[in-house]
Amino acid sequence: MAQEIVEVTESYPALDAFYDSLPDKNGALIPMLHKAQEEYGYLPQEVQLYVALKLGIPASKVYGVATFYSLFNLERKGQYRINVCLGTACYVRGSEAILEALENELKIKRTETTGDGLFTLSSIRCVGACGLAPVVMVGDKVYGRVTPDDVRGIVDEYLGKAGEHND
Amino acid sequence: MSSGTGQVRIALRNCGVIDPESIKDYIATDGYDALAKALFDMSPDEVVETVKKSGLRGRGGAGFPTGIKWETARRSESDIKYVLCNADEGDPGAFMDRSVLEGDPHCVLEAMAICGYAIGASQGIIYVRAEYPLAVKRLQIAIEQATDMGLLGDNILGSGFSFNVRLYFGAGAFVCGEETSLMNSVQGGRGEPRLKPPFPAVKGLWDKPTNINNVETYANVAQIIRNGWEWFRQFGTEKSPGTKVFALAGKVNNVGLVEVPMGTPLRVIIEDIGGGIRNNKKFKAAQTGGPSGGCIPAEHLDTPIEYESLISLGSMMGSGGMIVLDEDDCMVGISKFYLTFTAEESCGKCTPCRIGNVRLLEILDRITEGKGEEKDMDDLENLGNTIKDTALCGLGQSSPNPIISTLRYFSDEYKEHIYHKRCPAGSCSKLIGYKILPDKCTGCTVCARNCPVSCISGERKKVHVIDQERCIKCGVCFSKCRFKAIVRG
Ligand SMILES: Cc1cc2nc3c(=O)[nH]c(=O)nc-3n(C[C@H](O)[C@H](O)[C@H](O)COP(=O)(O)O)c2cc1C
Ligand code: SF4
Ligand code: SF4
Ligand code: SF4
Ligand code: FES
C-alpha cells in the first residue's frame, strides 16, 4: 500500500497561541497534544507533523508519544462515545456482559466506530463511580447499575437525538 | 476524628465536610497552620525529623518511609529540586486520591509546600490523570486562591521561602504511575520506566533531586506537622502508623471509601463497615493491591491490615483498592481480568513483561475456555516467578501476583476448569450455558423480551427456546424468569 506523504498545508493558530502561553517550553509535547486533541477531536497526521516542526523535534518522536498514551486518538471518533467501565468493581458486577451486549446492539467490536459515524464503543478503567457499578458512560453522562437489557434503551436515546439534529 | 464503626479520618478529614472550592473553609479548619508552623517555628531538618519520627509510609503502594525519602532529597546537593505529587491513580477500581483532590485540594498543596521547605525545593508539580476533570478544576482553583493569599508563590507569608505548584496531565497509561515513568512523561516523552538506582531523591525530574509522594501520603503531612509525630503514632501499629483509605467495592452491601487505622482486621472492614456480602451470598476472597496484589481467602479474614502482613499473605497494600468477591466470582477469571489489564498496560521496554505476560494470559484463556492442560498450573507458576524476578519495573515485577495468589489459595478452582472443564462459580462464559426447562416454562415471554440479542423464541403461553449459537451468555434471562424455568449449567 502506497503511503501518502503528509505535508503541513494549514496553519494552526490555536496551537501557536497555546505554545506561547506555556510557562515552560521543556516537556511541552504532551500538553501540546492534549491541546490539539481538544481542538480537533483527534490527532491527524498533519497536526502531529505541525507539532513536531513547532517544537523542533522529529515527527517520529511525536508519533511515538501519541501512540504510547491511550487517551490520544489517531483516528476520528464517533459523535457519541460509549465507554463501558471495565474497572474491577464494574467487572465483578458484570460489565463484560454489557460490553458484549453493546457490541451486538451496535454491530461493532470494542474500539470501533459505527459506519454512520454516530457511535464509538470503548472500554475505560474506573471512572470513580464504583458505587454505581456497573457503569456505562456516553460522553460525560454516567449510567449506573446498568444491566445488559438496558443497553438497547441507552443506544436508542442517542439515536433519537441524532434523528432530531438531522431534521 | 472518628466516624462510624472503627473509622478514623485523617486523610479524609475534610472530605465532604468543607467546601473544596473555598480556601476560607480550609483555613477555618486550621488549614495552612502547619505550613506557617514549619516556616516560622521549625528548621527544615526539624520538619524532616518530625516526618521521620511519625513513621509515615508511602500510601502509593510500596510503603517506603516518607521521612527517609525527604531526608535523602534534602541531603542531595543541587540548585534546583522538585516536589512531585503522584495523582495518577492507576489501579482500575480505586478512587481514594481522586476523593482527596476533589474534596480537600488544599491539604495536598500545603503538604507539598512543607516538603519543598524541608528538602529545599521551590517547584512543585502534580501529575494528575486527565480522566479526573473535577479534581483538575478544584486543584486549579485551589492553586489560584492560595497564590492570591500569599500561601503559595514568592516569599510565602514573608518568610523568604518561595514555592510554586503546576499541574501536569497524564494521558492514560497505567505505567506512568511508576515514579521514573512519571518523570519521563513530565519531560514530554513516552512514559517508560528506567532502572533504579539512582533514586529520584538523588536524580529525578530533569536529573535533579526530586521528592515524589502519593496524594494520600501528602494528605497526612500537614496534620503530622501541626499535631506532632506522637499524635500520629497513636493510630495504627508500630510498623505502620496512621490510617489507610480503602475504596471498598465489589459484593459488599456498603461500597465506598473507608479510612481505618492500620492494623484493623479485614473482617471489620468487610463485615462491620461494609455490612457483609450482598444478597446473603458467601464470601470468597478480598482482593487488595489491584493488578499488583492478590486475593485473601476467608481463613485469613482476621489478619490485621499492615504492609507486611498483606505481603506475607501473597497480596499487598497497594494504593487502597479493596474488591470483595463472593461465591459467584471465578478466581481464574479474576486472574485473567488483572492480567489482561497488565498485559495491555505493559510499556514493552523489557521482554519478560512484554512477552511473558501475554504467554500467561494465553494459558489463562485456554483454561477458562475448557482447553486447559495438566501442566498449565506449573507453567503459570514457573513463568510467573521468572517474570517477577527479571522484569525491569514494578509493573512486571508484580503482574503475576494475582495468578500466584489464586494458585496458592484456590488451586481447586483451577483444577475444576482444567480436569473437569467446569467453572464452579458459573462465571466463565465458554463453560456455561443457559437452558429453558420445558416443563417449567409458562411461556410468559419475559425472557424473550429482555434478551439483549433477541435469541429466545417461542409463542405466548408456549415453551420458549434459546438459540445457543447466538446466546452471549449474559444471564439476563436467568435473572428475569420468575418461574425458575431457566437453568445455568
Ligand atoms: C506500575 C506501577 C504503577 C504505580 N501507580 C501508582 C499510582 O497510580 N499512584 C501512586 O501514588 N503510586 C503509584 N506507584 C508507586 C510509585 O512508583 C511511587 O512508589 C509512589 O508514587 C511513591 O509515593 P509514596 O512513597 O508516597 O507512596 C506505581 C508503581 C508502579 C510500579
Ligand atoms: S516491567 Fe513491563 S512496564 Fe515495566 S519496564 Fe518492563 S515492559 Fe515496561
Ligand atoms: S421467562 Fe421463564 S417462564 Fe417466561 S417464557 Fe422465559 S423461560 Fe418461560
Ligand atoms: S443468556 Fe443472555 S443472550 Fe443468552 S438467551 Fe439469556 S438473555 Fe439471551
Ligand atoms: S470500577 Fe467502574 S467506576 Fe470504578
Side-chain angles (χ1 to χ4, degrees):
Chain A
M1 194 174 80
Q3 191 70 50
E4 217 184 303
I5 294 174
V6 178
E7 279 178 76
V8 175
T9 52
E10 285 182 44
S11 63
Y12 296 91
L15 289 181
D16 293 339
F18 179 75
Y19 182 76
D20 293 337
S21 77
L22 286 173
D24 189 351
K25 310 295 185 226
N26 282 333
L29 175 53
I30 294 173
M32 286 287 278
L33 294 180
H34 272 302
K35 179 69 188 171
Q37 182 152 307
E38 186 188 314
E39 290 288 320
Y40 315 111
Y42 73 115
L43 301 174
Q45 287 193 5
E46 185 175 320
V47 169
Q48 292 179 47
L49 191 57
Y50 185 75
V51 170
L53 293 171
K54 183 91 196 164
L55 302 184
I57 55 176
S60 59
K61 169 148 192 197
V62 176
Y63 182 74
V65 167
T67 49
F68 185 86
Y69 297 95
S70 63
L71 236 55
F72 294 134
N73 308 318
L74 300 194
E75 277 158 33
R76 193 189 294 281
K77 297 282 160 171
Q79 183 181 353
Y80 298 110
R81 309 200 43 189
I82 305 186
N83 283 307
V84 179
C85 180
L86 283 189
T88 322
C90 289
Y91 173 79
V92 300
R93 289 203 178 169
S95 58
E96 182 69 35
I98 291 163
L99 191 50
E100 282 172 18
L102 275 163
E103 288 178 336
N104 277 295
E105 184 67 31
L106 298 170
K107 303 194 174 55
I108 51 173
K109 292 280 161 210
R110 54 200 78 180
T111 74
E112 291 177 356
T113 302
T114 50
D116 56 10
L118 269 185
F119 298 102
T120 300
L121 180 62
S122 336
S123 62
I124 40 171
R125 308 276 182 185
C126 195
V127 293
C130 311
L132 296 176
V135 169
V136 172
M137 287 186 76
V138 183
D140 291 335
K141 184 160 175 196
V142 175
Y143 296 82
R145 304 215 169 85
V146 178
T147 59
D149 50 329
D150 292 338
V151 154
R152 188 168 293 163
I154 295 176
V155 170
D156 282 349
E157 215 177 289
Y158 293 89
L159 279 175
K161 274 192 202 164
E164 282 163 32
H165 288 307
N166 289 345
D167 286 343
Chain B
M1 183 104 345
S2 84
S3 63
T5 343
Q7 296 207 53
V8 174
R9 290 171 68 120
I10 297 179
L12 297 179
R13 97 186 154 113
N14 284 330
C15 291
V17 178
I18 63 168
D19 173 2
E21 298 188 6
S22 157
I23 192 170
K24 295 214 175 79
D25 266 30
Y26 182 64
I27 291 172
T29 58
D30 303 323
Y32 290 105
D33 272 11
L35 177 60
K37 179 174 173 184
L39 292 179
F40 298 106
D41 302 339
M42 296 168 86
S43 68
D45 283 324
E46 280 169 343
V47 174
V48 169
E49 204 50 32
T50 305
V51 175
K52 251 172 93 176
K53 283 197 177 135
S54 75
L56 175 64
R57 298 171 65 172
R59 304 294 195 240
F64 191 82
T66 305
I68 295 183
K69 240 190 220 181
W70 288 25
E71 185 172 51
T72 314
R74 165 147 190 83
R75 290 206 183 134
S76 301
E77 298 279 340
S78 174
D79 49 342
I80 296 177
K81 297 183 189 179
Y82 295 98
V83 174
L84 268 181
C85 173
N86 189 339
D88 197 40
E89 194 151 63
D91 176 353
F95 50 97
M96 302 76 46
D97 295 346
R98 165 185 170 150
S99 303
V100 171
L101 297 173
E102 289 180 358
D104 195 12
H106 284 286
C107 83
V108 177
L109 301 179
E110 181 176 9
M112 289 176 73
I114 293 170
C115 177
Y117 173 70
I119 70 167
S122 62
Q123 293 191 53
I125 294 173
I126 303 178
Y127 187 89
V128 56
R129 298 183 69 172
E131 294 95 323
Y132 284 176
L134 185 61
V136 169
K137 177 180 153 218
R138 299 234 158 116
L139 280 169
Q140 279 163 341
I141 294 174
I143 292 171
E144 220 169 87
Q145 289 176 339
T147 311
D148 282 347
M149 292 191 65
L151 293 162
L152 283 181
D154 291 340
N155 192 15
I156 294 174
L157 300 171
S159 64
F161 169 68
S162 301
F163 192 75
N164 288 292
V165 177
R166 280 194 294 140
L167 300 183
Y168 202 90
F169 304 117
F174 173 64
V175 72
C176 285
E178 197 280 338
E179 52 198 23
T180 60
S181 328
L182 187 149
M183 292 183 298
N184 278 333
S185 181
V186 173
Q187 290 173 200
R190 289 164 65 94
E192 287 170 355
R194 63 157 172 79
L195 272 176
K196 292 183 282 191
F199 289 97
V202 177
K203 208 169 173 187
L205 189 60
W206 305 112
D207 286 343
K208 303 290 183 192
T210 301
N211 181 72
I212 176 163
N213 279 122
N214 161 263
V215 171
E216 189 186 333
T217 314
Y218 282 126
N220 284 285
V221 166
Q223 293 176 80
I224 292 172
I225 297 300
R226 186 155 51 82
N227 302 326
W229 60 268
E230 298 92 338
W231 168 85
F232 187 70
R233 277 196 169 273
Q234 65 177 303
F235 307 104
T237 64
E238 178 60 31
K239 278 190 168 164
S240 307
T243 58
K244 179 77 195 83
V245 182
F246 290 98
L248 186 60
K251 306 293 179 62
V252 279
N253 280 307
N254 313 324
V255 297
L257 289 190
V258 302
E259 181 170 2
V260 291
M262 296 273 193
T264 302
L266 212 46
R267 185 185 300 283
V268 171
I269 301 181
I270 294 169
E271 292 179 3
D272 300 348
I273 303 174
I277 309 298
R278 296 167 80 212
N279 306 328
N280 295 317
K281 296 272 183 174
K282 208 164 142 246
F283 171 87
K284 188 183 269 184
Q287 207 284 347
T288 67
S292 313
C295 293
I296 301 165
E299 70 246 41
H300 294 299
L301 266 182
D302 291 307
T303 310
I305 297 187
E306 283 184 280
Y307 292 96
E308 281 75 17
S309 62
L310 288 178
I311 286 174
S312 72
L313 292 178
S315 186
M316 65 182 270
M317 183 77 80
S319 56
M322 186 179 287
I323 310 287
V324 178
L325 305 172
D326 71 11
E327 53 190 294
D328 294 339
D329 291 305
C330 167
M331 302 313 277
V332 186
I334 291 289
S335 304
K336 191 173 117 179
F337 166 77
Y338 281 113
L339 217 70
T340 307
F341 177 79
T342 34
E344 237 170 59
E345 294 293 337
S346 164
C347 81
K349 182 166 174 171
C350 70
T351 320
C353 169
R354 182 183 65 242
I355 298 177
N357 281 320
V358 174
R359 291 290 101 85
L360 287 177
L361 192 55
E362 286 166 358
I363 300 177
L364 289 177
D365 267 335
R366 273 198 288 107
I367 297 178
T368 54
E369 287 171 3
K371 297 180 200 144
E373 295 162 21
E374 203 171 326
K375 64 181 188 35
D376 283 347
M377 287 171 71
D378 286 340
D379 283 356
L380 284 174
E381 178 137 12
N382 292 336
L383 178 55
N385 283 322
T386 307
I387 297 172
K388 283 176 65 135
D389 291 343
T390 53
L392 188 151
C393 86
L395 190 148
Q397 286 159 9
S398 62
S399 59
N401 285 350
I403 299 182
I404 290 174
S405 88
T406 49
L407 280 172
R408 173 167 161 194
Y409 296 116
F410 300 96
S411 62
D412 286 353
E413 276 192 46
Y414 281 85
K415 288 182 189 148
E416 273 299 308
H417 285 79
I418 295 173
Y419 297 114
H420 302 115
K421 315 298 175 201
R422 262 190 77 236
C423 173
S427 140
C428 292
S429 64
K430 290 270 165 54
L431 299 180
I432 56 164
Y434 293 89
K435 249 195 352 232
I436 297 180
L437 302 173
D439 51 330
K440 288 221 172 137
C441 174
T442 65
C444 74
T445 77
V446 162
C447 58
R449 280 186 280 123
N450 283 289
C451 171
V453 294
S454 310
C455 74
I456 306 181
S457 56
E459 281 171 44
R460 174 167 280 281
K461 302 208 175 136
K462 297 261 171 66
V463 170
H464 281 52
V465 240
I466 296 174
D467 177 353
Q468 297 295 341
E469 289 283 294
R470 282 162 55 216
C471 169
I472 58 168
K473 298 170 185 177
C474 68
V476 165
C477 54
F478 178 72
S479 64
K480 291 275 176 185
C481 175
R482 279 171 290 133
F483 304 96
K484 294 202 166 44
I486 301 184
V487 287
R488 180 164 67 192

